[in-house]
Amino acid sequence: MEYQSFFVTPPATQWDIISLGGGVQSSAMALMAAVGDITPMPQAAIFADTQAEPKEVYLWLDWLEKQLPFPVYRVTAGSLADMEMQIRVSKKSGKTYKKSEIPAFGKNPDGSKGILGRKCTRDFKIQPIKVKARAICGVKRGQKNITVTQWIGISSDEMGRATASREPWSQTRFPLLEKDITREGCLEWMKAHGYPEPPRSACLFCPFHSDHEWQRIKGGDAAEWQYVQDFEKQLQASAEKCKVMRSVPFLHPSLVPIGEVEFKPAKAADGSKQMTMHEMWNDIKNDCSGMCGV
Ligand code: SF4
């Protein structure tokens, strides 16, 4: 697929702002800007914190901030985990209900599988970054002219995630697509410039993790693996309390509790390959906008 620029006007904007996911691609993009490999120099980067990233992502951000000549603003819409557990009461019917933020897999009463609604990317990534970008760049209410260029770290192996801005005051730019650089290419660039390897960024409990990723989390920090298992149990307990939610949520598509899943290797003995987390995001696309996992 050929990359088509989403610039709708000549780049005569006053503000270049990086949407920083805290993972490989957006970190490489920010560092490329810092050394002048991508121009112009952005005025700021914004990281939207779901408060559920692995510890190593926060440590990485602490390091990255010191390398960049522009400020990194960390913003949050609160704890995604807490929001996911919230049980609400309908004013109309008095019945309890809950909103599904994360794309958990649901086991229906007849045993079939579904995928629950996903709003987390919009509510916890896109929206907080939008609010902060407006504040930094002084975007006026009802503004129709483009004054902000938002840089998104989508690499050429994930081109399908690139979408145009929906805001009349901003346009989206994909510097890694312009450079035709893949995720692997970003890692090579980092290595060639003497930078350490960035961690993978995504919520610890993200149901989009591949088995390979789950296995990595399981084999990593014991407290984080316990957190994931506890999160799933609480998620199921909150769903049970909720009268209108009939399916049981699971983090893994096998509908087996995450602590009991036997994760498959990335490549099976018959040569078949499992989808990586990034391929899943590519596949799902809807409202993804390259805000998670880059
Ligand atoms: S990483 Fe997964 S759970 Fe977290 S905001 Fe993105 S899609 Fe949602």
Side-chain angles (χ1 to χ4, degrees), residues 215-242:
Q215 186 63 53
R216 205 186 59 78
I217 296 171
K218 185 179 179 178
D221 186 290
E224 290 188 343
W225 180 237
Q226 190 58 52
Y227 167 79
V228 168
Q229 293 174 80
D230 293 345
F231 174 87
E232 187 183 59
K233 284 181 193 144
Q234 285 168 23
L235 184 65
Q236 292 173 346
S238 69
E240 207 179 321
K241 279 191 212 145
C242 178

Side-chain angles (χ1 to χ4, degrees), residues 6-7 14 34 63 74 80 87 112 166 187 198 217 219 251:
F6 286 113
F7 282 127
Q14 297 104 33
W63 175 86
R74 299 191 198 193
L80 173 55
I87 296 178
S112 62
R166 292 177 194 167
L187 287 170
I217 296 171
L251 296 180

Side-chain angles (χ1 to χ4, degrees), residues 23-25 28 32 181-200:
V24 172
Q25 288 100 321
M32 284 174 190
I181 187 166
T182 60
R183 185 174 189 278
E184 274 310 303
C186 289
L187 287 170
E188 279 161 24
W189 185 93
M190 302 273 301
K191 202 171 169 191
H193 286 76
Y195 295 123
E197 188 173 318
R200 282 189 176 273

